[in-house]
Structure formats: C-alpha cells, structure tokens
Amino acid sequence: MNLQPVPFLEVERISKRFPGVKALSEVSLAVGVGESIAVIGENGAGKSTLMKILAGIQQPDSGTIRIDGKPVEIRGVPAAQRLGIALIHQELNLCDNLSIGANIFLGREPRQFGWISQSEINAQSRKYLEQVGLDVDPRTLLAELSIGQQQLVEIAKALSCNARLLIMDEPTSSLSAREVERLFSVIQSLRESGVSIVYISHRLSEVHQVCDRVVALRDGQNSGGLSREEITHDNMVRLMVGRDLDQFYARQSLTPGDVVLAAKGLRTRDNPTHAINFQLRSGEIVGLAGLVGAGRTELLEALFGVQPAVAGTIEVAGRTASIRSARDAIAHEIFLVPEDRKLQGLVLPMDVGQNTSLPGLHRLSYFSWIDSRSEQKLADDMVKRMRVKTPSTRQIIQYLSGGNQQKVVIAKWLAMNPKVLLLDEPTRGIDVGAKHEIYELMEELARRGVAILFVSSEMEEVLGMADRVLVMHEGALSGELTRAQLSEEAVMTLATGQQMKTI
Ligand SMILES: Nc1ncnc2c1ncn2[C@@H]1O[C@H](COP(=O)(O)OP(=O)(O)OP(=O)(O)O)[C@@H](O)[C@H]1O
Ligand SMILES: [Mg+2]
C-alpha cells in the first residue's frame, strides 16, 4: 500500500507519566490512509496507554497528534469520534441486554419529531452489519451473539461513526479460528475503502497476516520498526525483548507418578449428555484442546466446583471427593487459574502484594494477624520471578497493564503449592518473554509432582508443552493423544469431531 503524501495520523513525541511509571516517553508513529500497522511490545510496554490517548480516554503530558497534517487535541471520547478514531477494547464495551441496533446507536439514536426512530435504527444498523458481514437481525439481543459476533457489532458501531482509523487492542484473544478469519476479511475490506488500522496482538503470527508494517515499543519508547518484508517472528521478538530468545519449549520426558485426579462419568451442567472420563497423574502436564465452545472451561469449572458436576464422581488420590464449591476443591489442593482473570482472579482495588498472597493467607497468618513481612517477601519473590512490571508490590492492581495483571493471578496460585493445577488459557495476553517464564514454572511444578491440566487455544503451546492431550468436541471428550501421536492434524481432527484414521 502506497503512503499518501500526508499520513492520516501522525503521533509525535508523546509522553505520559503515571505515579511511579513513565508509561510513554517521546513515542512517535504515523499511519497512512488505508494502511494497517501493528504496535507490538512486551506487557507494560505502553501500547494500550498510547491507544487510550488516541481514543481520548487519557490525556498525554506532552507531544503532538496530527490528523490529515493538522495538529489536534483529543480531549474526550466524543472528540476522538468526531476525528474518526474508534478504539475496540479487548473487553467489549457493549450492553448485553440491549438489541444490536440499540447498541450501535446508543446515545446517538436517530430521531423523528423528537422520538427515537426504531425503524431508522434498524434500517441503518442493517447497512452497517452487512458491511461487516454479519447476517443477523438488528433487533436480536446482544447476549445471543458469540464474542466474535459482538466484536463485529463493535466494528459496525465504529463504521456508523464514520471511523477512519480503527484501533484494535488484542481483538482475537477470545475468538474461534473461523471468527478470526472473518475478522481479518472485514479488516481487509475496510482497508480497501480507506480505513486505517492499528492492530495490537501478542499473537505474532497474526501480525504478518494483517499488517503492512510493525512499530515496536520497549519500556515506553520506540524500539524500532519493520517493513512488510522484514516481519518475521524473530525480528519482532528482538525488537520487543531486546535480545534473542532461546528455544521455546523445554519439556523433558518423564515418568508420571500415581493417579491424583480421576473423573468418572462426570457430567457438566452445560453439557450433561456426555459423560467424561479421564485421569491425571502426578508430575504430568496434560493439554485440554478443542474449539471455542467445546466445553473445556466448563470441565475445569466442574473440577474446581464453581459449576459443580450434575453427575459422576471425582476421585482425588484414589478417594471419592465431594467437590461442590471452590472451597471444597481448595481443601483437596486443587486450584484453578480462570480464563477471565479480571473477573474471577483478582481483587482490583488491592495491591500486588495482597493479591499474590490472598489465597495463601492462612499460611502466613499467626493467630489470624496477617504477617505482612512474609507477605512482602512472597510478593517480592513472585514479582521478580514473573518479571511483573510494577513500580512496587504496593501498586494497586488495576493500574497494571493487562498482561501484568495476568502474571499476578498466576503467581498467586503458584504460591500455594497445589496438588492439581487447572490452568485456563494461561498465556492469553501474555508477551512472548513472559510465556517462557510461565512454561518454566509449569515444568518446575510438574517436576515437584503437581498434576497440571491446561486449556489452550494456541496449537503451538499444546504441541510444545503437553505430555498428553485430551481433545473435546461439542461437550464430549473426543479423544486422547499421547506425546508420540501428537500432531496439529491429529488435534484438529479430534477437535472437529472427525474419526481418527490412524489411531
Ligand atoms: N491508570 C494507570 N495508573 C498507573 N499506571 C498505569 C495506568 N495505566 C497504565 N499504567 C502503567 O503504564 C505502563 C504501560 O501500560 P500499558 O497498559 O500501556 O501496557 P501494554 O503495552 O498495553 O501492556 P499489555 O501487553 O500487558 O496489555 C505499565 O507499567 C502500567 O502499569
Ligand atoms: Mg494493553
């Protein structure tokens, strides 16, 4: 794509400081009309902060923003909208209990004689939904759509504001493979009509598919750029991390120990028609693969008691365990790191130290007083170990970047010495360097005899980390693959419900 003489957007030497953190220092970038750039960087590098500034959610301390060559000040979200800038957050900003049309026009409803015109909302919504390739009635409730479809509604909404720049902050982390493809083709057609794209993702393989150019940030500063031809995994890692990363997966073969967890005829609340049977042995790392919606999270939630199974038994170390709540599971030393860490994993207004030690408090307390010195030490160790980017362990958790919040949740459960660890998408939204840390921690725990069951939608991770893989399809366990049988093709075959030919 040829750059126009004047780029649509120019950001020049933008800086932004938060208490104790220089989030951005003198960052510059430009985006041409119809151009698609990726902004990459480790957790806490400043990506989201820059985007929030462009979308009018936060104000820069210094620097210049130009649109069509003219300096602008973006004092709020409506101002950004008027300039044609739309930000699609990773956590979608829509109302579940309203219709699609109402969501698209929320606060800007077309009116006739002062009354909101429902027919106009529907007619216009149809037009925008068609543009994003979503074939649903605008009167449908948003709650009835999949996450991928809801994301397309967000894009339709952006189009209805005549967006000329669409910023997407980790758009694909909860989408199925098919929804990702759909999103990419919508992005392509938007670009053809002159919309510019800024794309943020920790899935580096996507960057190559979607973007013309890469801008990298490290510690809040520009660390370099890549042209289309230069976009490779290694080049991106070098710019983000500042060094080469060695071999990614280090899984060593091992002889698993005794069975620590067994599911017998387990039926989950959401998929009660299928009985699930499997075993986990001490020291094993087992992958749970399947397409989005296959029932993987439901299975973990049944094992952890937050959505107790409706039938069947769970045995822990050979004895039937009654697991009706998370408390029961924890009593049996079974822990879950949930997929939606913001909602379930953290206490946002508390600080990093308190969040790390929360579930382990009973171990640190002496006559029920919290021993703040041990809490401090535990938190310091974890922050160092996981390379959590925070000014101190006293920082309130909601001010950490998305990926760093996730590291804290994982740290919190690792501090507990579990017998069985259930991980739901443990590296979602986590940068490439910190992924290493998490894999190494999983290895270390397995060596200490912990049984790990992890859900992952990243094939590479499943193939690289698992000693054994259980595959789910539409609520049922459709098969099991040993390390020797493991291949991308074998996983996909089982995940899509086809019969295996060779095994
Ligand atoms: N409101 C805030 N108050 C204090 N610090 C903040 C605030 N928002 C962001 N920060 C800090 O600014 C830095 C940059 O955060 P930002 O969210 O921009 O990172 P990011 O590149 O988007 O990371 P991730 O990949 O984890 O999403 C981090 O150190 C973060 O803790
Ligand atoms: Mg971010």
Side-chain angles (χ1 to χ4, degrees), residues 451-480:
I452 299 179
L453 180 62
F454 75 103
V455 167
S456 173
S457 297
E458 279 191 57
M459 184 65 78
E460 217 183 300
E461 190 166 287
V462 172
L463 299 182
M465 280 308 291
D467 299 318
R468 187 156 65 89
V469 173
L470 305 171
V471 188
M472 292 190 76
H473 170 69
E474 294 183 352
L477 266 188
S478 55
E480 181 182 328

mmCIF file of all heavy atoms in Angstrom, residues 451-480:
data_model
loop_
_atom_site.group_PDB
_atom_site.id
_atom_site.type_symbol
_atom_site.label_atom_id
_atom_site.label_comp_id
_atom_site.label_asym_id
_atom_site.label_seq_id
_atom_site.Cartn_x
_atom_site.Cartn_y
_atom_site.Cartn_z
ATOM 1 N N ALA A 451 0.148 -32.214 39.306
ATOM 2 C CA ALA A 451 -0.501 -32.614 38.058
ATOM 3 C C ALA A 451 -1.127 -31.368 37.446
ATOM 4 O O ALA A 451 -1.862 -30.657 38.122
ATOM 5 C CB ALA A 451 -1.566 -33.665 38.329
ATOM 6 N N ILE A 452 -0.817 -31.104 36.193
ATOM 7 C CA ILE A 452 -1.309 -29.874 35.562
ATOM 8 C C ILE A 452 -2.217 -30.220 34.383
ATOM 9 O O ILE A 452 -1.867 -31.028 33.530
ATOM 10 C CB ILE A 452 -0.131 -29.008 35.064
ATOM 11 C CG1 ILE A 452 0.763 -28.610 36.255
ATOM 12 C CG2 ILE A 452 -0.638 -27.772 34.322
ATOM 13 C CD1 ILE A 452 1.966 -27.774 35.874
ATOM 14 N N LEU A 453 -3.398 -29.607 34.376
ATOM 15 C CA LEU A 453 -4.297 -29.733 33.226
ATOM 16 C C LEU A 453 -4.487 -28.334 32.679
ATOM 17 O O LEU A 453 -4.974 -27.445 33.384
ATOM 18 C CB LEU A 453 -5.644 -30.317 33.685
ATOM 19 C CG LEU A 453 -6.716 -30.524 32.602
ATOM 20 C CD1 LEU A 453 -6.259 -31.527 31.546
ATOM 21 C CD2 LEU A 453 -8.034 -30.996 33.219
ATOM 22 N N PHE A 454 -4.060 -28.094 31.441
ATOM 23 C CA PHE A 454 -4.191 -26.731 30.910
ATOM 24 C C PHE A 454 -4.977 -26.689 29.614
ATOM 25 O O PHE A 454 -4.835 -27.523 28.739
ATOM 26 C CB PHE A 454 -2.820 -26.052 30.751
ATOM 27 C CG PHE A 454 -2.008 -26.539 29.563
ATOM 28 C CD1 PHE A 454 -1.930 -25.770 28.408
ATOM 29 C CD2 PHE A 454 -1.320 -27.737 29.613
ATOM 30 C CE1 PHE A 454 -1.177 -26.201 27.311
ATOM 31 C CE2 PHE A 454 -0.568 -28.173 28.534
ATOM 32 C CZ PHE A 454 -0.493 -27.410 27.370
ATOM 33 N N VAL A 455 -5.852 -25.677 29.541
ATOM 34 C CA VAL A 455 -6.618 -25.414 28.322
ATOM 35 C C VAL A 455 -5.830 -24.411 27.506
ATOM 36 O O VAL A 455 -5.343 -23.419 28.041
ATOM 37 C CB VAL A 455 -7.985 -24.806 28.677
ATOM 38 C CG1 VAL A 455 -8.654 -24.233 27.436
ATOM 39 C CG2 VAL A 455 -8.878 -25.835 29.342
ATOM 40 N N SER A 456 -5.684 -24.675 26.209
ATOM 41 C CA SER A 456 -5.029 -23.679 25.373
ATOM 42 C C SER A 456 -5.610 -23.710 23.978
ATOM 43 O O SER A 456 -5.901 -24.762 23.432
ATOM 44 C CB SER A 456 -3.538 -23.937 25.309
ATOM 45 O OG SER A 456 -2.951 -23.055 24.372
ATOM 46 N N SER A 457 -5.790 -22.514 23.417
ATOM 47 C CA SER A 457 -6.256 -22.429 22.037
ATOM 48 C C SER A 457 -5.083 -22.219 21.096
ATOM 49 O O SER A 457 -5.265 -22.068 19.898
ATOM 50 C CB SER A 457 -7.241 -21.267 21.878
ATOM 51 O OG SER A 457 -8.363 -21.522 22.682
ATOM 52 N N GLU A 458 -3.880 -22.154 21.679
ATOM 53 C CA GLU A 458 -2.712 -21.989 20.812
ATOM 54 C C GLU A 458 -2.078 -23.343 20.562
ATOM 55 O O GLU A 458 -1.496 -23.964 21.443
ATOM 56 C CB GLU A 458 -1.711 -21.021 21.438
ATOM 57 C CG GLU A 458 -2.114 -19.583 21.201
ATOM 58 C CD GLU A 458 -1.009 -18.614 21.572
ATOM 59 O OE1 GLU A 458 0.101 -18.734 21.015
ATOM 60 O OE2 GLU A 458 -1.260 -17.761 22.426
ATOM 61 N N MET A 459 -2.205 -23.769 19.318
ATOM 62 C CA MET A 459 -1.749 -25.099 18.935
ATOM 63 C C MET A 459 -0.283 -25.324 19.307
ATOM 64 O O MET A 459 0.091 -26.357 19.854
ATOM 65 C CB MET A 459 -1.953 -25.247 17.434
ATOM 66 C CG MET A 459 -1.632 -26.595 16.892
ATOM 67 S SD MET A 459 -2.717 -27.893 17.509
ATOM 68 C CE MET A 459 -4.171 -27.622 16.508
ATOM 69 N N GLU A 460 0.525 -24.308 19.038
ATOM 70 C CA GLU A 460 1.957 -24.411 19.290
ATOM 71 C C GLU A 460 2.235 -24.769 20.757
ATOM 72 O O GLU A 460 3.105 -25.578 21.063
ATOM 73 C CB GLU A 460 2.559 -23.038 19.001
ATOM 74 C CG GLU A 460 3.906 -23.035 18.371
ATOM 75 C CD GLU A 460 4.352 -21.587 18.230
ATOM 76 O OE1 GLU A 460 3.666 -20.806 17.543
ATOM 77 O OE2 GLU A 460 5.358 -21.244 18.843
ATOM 78 N N GLU A 461 1.463 -24.127 21.622
ATOM 79 C CA GLU A 461 1.630 -24.325 23.053
ATOM 80 C C GLU A 461 1.217 -25.747 23.455
ATOM 81 O O GLU A 461 1.880 -26.399 24.245
ATOM 82 C CB GLU A 461 0.723 -23.295 23.731
ATOM 83 C CG GLU A 461 0.886 -23.125 25.185
ATOM 84 C CD GLU A 461 0.165 -21.840 25.632
ATOM 85 O OE1 GLU A 461 0.663 -20.744 25.336
ATOM 86 O OE2 GLU A 461 -0.922 -21.947 26.224
ATOM 87 N N VAL A 462 0.123 -26.212 22.887
ATOM 88 C CA VAL A 462 -0.353 -27.567 23.177
ATOM 89 C C VAL A 462 0.695 -28.577 22.721
ATOM 90 O O VAL A 462 1.067 -29.487 23.463
ATOM 91 C CB VAL A 462 -1.706 -27.831 22.464
ATOM 92 C CG1 VAL A 462 -2.107 -29.293 22.602
ATOM 93 C CG2 VAL A 462 -2.786 -26.917 23.027
ATOM 94 N N LEU A 463 1.183 -28.396 21.497
ATOM 95 C CA LEU A 463 2.154 -29.342 20.963
ATOM 96 C C LEU A 463 3.464 -29.279 21.735
ATOM 97 O O LEU A 463 4.137 -30.284 21.927
ATOM 98 C CB LEU A 463 2.426 -29.057 19.479
ATOM 99 C CG LEU A 463 1.232 -29.168 18.534
ATOM 100 C CD1 LEU A 463 1.658 -28.903 17.094
ATOM 101 C CD2 LEU A 463 0.572 -30.539 18.635
ATOM 102 N N GLY A 464 3.821 -28.090 22.183
ATOM 103 C CA GLY A 464 5.115 -27.909 22.833
ATOM 104 C C GLY A 464 5.151 -28.336 24.292
ATOM 105 O O GLY A 464 6.178 -28.781 24.782
ATOM 106 N N MET A 465 4.032 -28.157 25.002
ATOM 107 C CA MET A 465 4.062 -28.327 26.455
ATOM 108 C C MET A 465 3.467 -29.626 26.975
ATOM 109 O O MET A 465 3.781 -30.041 28.091
ATOM 110 C CB MET A 465 3.301 -27.169 27.129
ATOM 111 C CG MET A 465 4.081 -25.891 27.248
ATOM 112 S SD MET A 465 5.690 -26.093 28.015
ATOM 113 C CE MET A 465 5.225 -26.470 29.706
ATOM 114 N N ALA A 466 2.554 -30.238 26.218
ATOM 115 C CA ALA A 466 1.774 -31.332 26.803
ATOM 116 C C ALA A 466 2.493 -32.673 26.708
ATOM 117 O O ALA A 466 3.106 -32.999 25.694
ATOM 118 C CB ALA A 466 0.415 -31.419 26.122
ATOM 119 N N ASP A 467 2.400 -33.469 27.795
ATOM 120 C CA ASP A 467 2.857 -34.852 27.757
ATOM 121 C C ASP A 467 1.792 -35.713 27.084
ATOM 122 O O ASP A 467 2.056 -36.791 26.577
ATOM 123 C CB ASP A 467 3.043 -35.396 29.175
ATOM 124 C CG ASP A 467 4.094 -34.608 29.936
ATOM 125 O OD1 ASP A 467 5.133 -34.280 29.334
ATOM 126 O OD2 ASP A 467 3.871 -34.317 31.124
ATOM 127 N N ARG A 468 0.564 -35.184 27.122
ATOM 128 C CA ARG A 468 -0.589 -35.956 26.676
ATOM 129 C C ARG A 468 -1.668 -34.919 26.425
ATOM 130 O O ARG A 468 -1.702 -33.894 27.119
ATOM 131 C CB ARG A 468 -1.012 -36.866 27.840
ATOM 132 C CG ARG A 468 -2.070 -37.864 27.552
ATOM 133 C CD ARG A 468 -1.902 -39.003 28.571
ATOM 134 N NE ARG A 468 -2.137 -38.595 29.964
ATOM 135 C CZ ARG A 468 -3.339 -38.617 30.558
ATOM 136 N NH1 ARG A 468 -4.403 -38.995 29.908
ATOM 137 N NH2 ARG A 468 -3.453 -38.246 31.834
ATOM 138 N N VAL A 469 -2.535 -35.162 25.448
ATOM 139 C CA VAL A 469 -3.572 -34.172 25.151
ATOM 140 C C VAL A 469 -4.945 -34.830 25.140
ATOM 141 O O VAL A 469 -5.131 -35.892 24.530
ATOM 142 C CB VAL A 469 -3.311 -33.489 23.778
ATOM 143 C CG1 VAL A 469 -4.477 -32.581 23.400
ATOM 144 C CG2 VAL A 469 -2.019 -32.683 23.818
ATOM 145 N N LEU A 470 -5.878 -34.221 25.867
ATOM 146 C CA LEU A 470 -7.279 -34.634 25.793
ATOM 147 C C LEU A 470 -7.957 -33.656 24.860
ATOM 148 O O LEU A 470 -7.749 -32.451 24.962
ATOM 149 C CB LEU A 470 -7.941 -34.548 27.171
ATOM 150 C CG LEU A 470 -7.278 -35.306 28.316
ATOM 151 C CD1 LEU A 470 -7.935 -34.931 29.641
ATOM 152 C CD2 LEU A 470 -7.391 -36.809 28.064
ATOM 153 N N VAL A 471 -8.761 -34.155 23.937
ATOM 154 C CA VAL A 471 -9.413 -33.259 22.992
ATOM 155 C C VAL A 471 -10.920 -33.315 23.203
ATOM 156 O O VAL A 471 -11.492 -34.393 23.375
ATOM 157 C CB VAL A 471 -9.078 -33.630 21.528
ATOM 158 C CG1 VAL A 471 -9.613 -32.562 20.574
ATOM 159 C CG2 VAL A 471 -7.578 -33.788 21.340
ATOM 160 N N MET A 472 -11.549 -32.142 23.216
ATOM 161 C CA MET A 472 -13.002 -32.089 23.385
ATOM 162 C C MET A 472 -13.673 -31.601 22.115
ATOM 163 O O MET A 472 -13.116 -30.810 21.360
ATOM 164 C CB MET A 472 -13.377 -31.151 24.537
ATOM 165 C CG MET A 472 -12.957 -31.667 25.889
ATOM 166 S SD MET A 472 -13.661 -30.703 27.248
ATOM 167 C CE MET A 472 -15.348 -31.309 27.250
ATOM 168 N N HIS A 473 -14.879 -32.109 21.903
ATOM 169 C CA HIS A 473 -15.687 -31.656 20.774
ATOM 170 C C HIS A 473 -17.136 -31.631 21.221
ATOM 171 O O HIS A 473 -17.665 -32.644 21.681
ATOM 172 C CB HIS A 473 -15.506 -32.606 19.591
ATOM 173 C CG HIS A 473 -16.478 -32.354 18.476
ATOM 174 N ND1 HIS A 473 -16.403 -31.211 17.697
ATOM 175 C CD2 HIS A 473 -17.542 -33.055 18.037
ATOM 176 C CE1 HIS A 473 -17.388 -31.245 16.814
ATOM 177 N NE2 HIS A 473 -18.096 -32.347 16.997
ATOM 178 N N GLU A 474 -17.776 -30.470 21.124
ATOM 179 C CA GLU A 474 -19.183 -30.304 21.495
ATOM 180 C C GLU A 474 -19.538 -30.956 22.824
ATOM 181 O O GLU A 474 -20.504 -31.706 22.933
ATOM 182 C CB GLU A 474 -20.084 -30.802 20.370
ATOM 183 C CG GLU A 474 -19.926 -29.921 19.141
ATOM 184 C CD GLU A 474 -20.834 -30.307 17.999
ATOM 185 O OE1 GLU A 474 -21.497 -31.366 18.088
ATOM 186 O OE2 GLU A 474 -20.880 -29.543 17.026
ATOM 187 N N GLY A 475 -18.742 -30.687 23.830
ATOM 188 C CA GLY A 475 -19.087 -31.136 25.178
ATOM 189 C C GLY A 475 -18.615 -32.533 25.524
ATOM 190 O O GLY A 475 -18.721 -32.954 26.665
ATOM 191 N N ALA A 476 -18.094 -33.264 24.542
ATOM 192 C CA ALA A 476 -17.636 -34.632 24.830
ATOM 193 C C ALA A 476 -16.120 -34.716 24.690
ATOM 194 O O ALA A 476 -15.516 -33.931 23.960
ATOM 195 C CB ALA A 476 -18.289 -35.605 23.859
ATOM 196 N N LEU A 477 -15.517 -35.673 25.386
ATOM 197 C CA LEU A 477 -14.102 -35.949 25.142
ATOM 198 C C LEU A 477 -14.041 -36.772 23.864
ATOM 199 O O LEU A 477 -14.551 -37.887 23.809
ATOM 200 C CB LEU A 477 -13.519 -36.777 26.291
ATOM 201 C CG LEU A 477 -12.824 -36.050 27.429
ATOM 202 C CD1 LEU A 477 -12.145 -37.049 28.346
ATOM 203 C CD2 LEU A 477 -11.813 -35.031 26.923
ATOM 204 N N SER A 478 -13.439 -36.219 22.817
ATOM 205 C CA SER A 478 -13.485 -36.941 21.548
ATOM 206 C C SER A 478 -12.236 -37.779 21.339
ATOM 207 O O SER A 478 -12.161 -38.539 20.389
ATOM 208 C CB SER A 478 -13.684 -35.962 20.390
ATOM 209 O OG SER A 478 -12.693 -34.971 20.414
ATOM 210 N N GLY A 479 -11.248 -37.633 22.199
ATOM 211 C CA GLY A 479 -10.087 -38.500 22.050
ATOM 212 C C GLY A 479 -8.941 -38.063 22.922
ATOM 213 O O GLY A 479 -8.991 -37.024 23.581
ATOM 214 N N GLU A 480 -7.915 -38.886 22.913
ATOM 215 C CA GLU A 480 -6.741 -38.626 23.725
ATOM 216 C C GLU A 480 -5.517 -38.947 22.894
ATOM 217 O O GLU A 480 -5.493 -39.929 22.162
ATOM 218 C CB GLU A 480 -6.795 -39.532 24.958
ATOM 219 C CG GLU A 480 -5.647 -39.326 25.870
ATOM 220 C CD GLU A 480 -5.688 -40.265 27.079
ATOM 221 O OE1 GLU A 480 -6.802 -40.615 27.531
ATOM 222 O OE2 GLU A 480 -4.602 -40.626 27.531
#
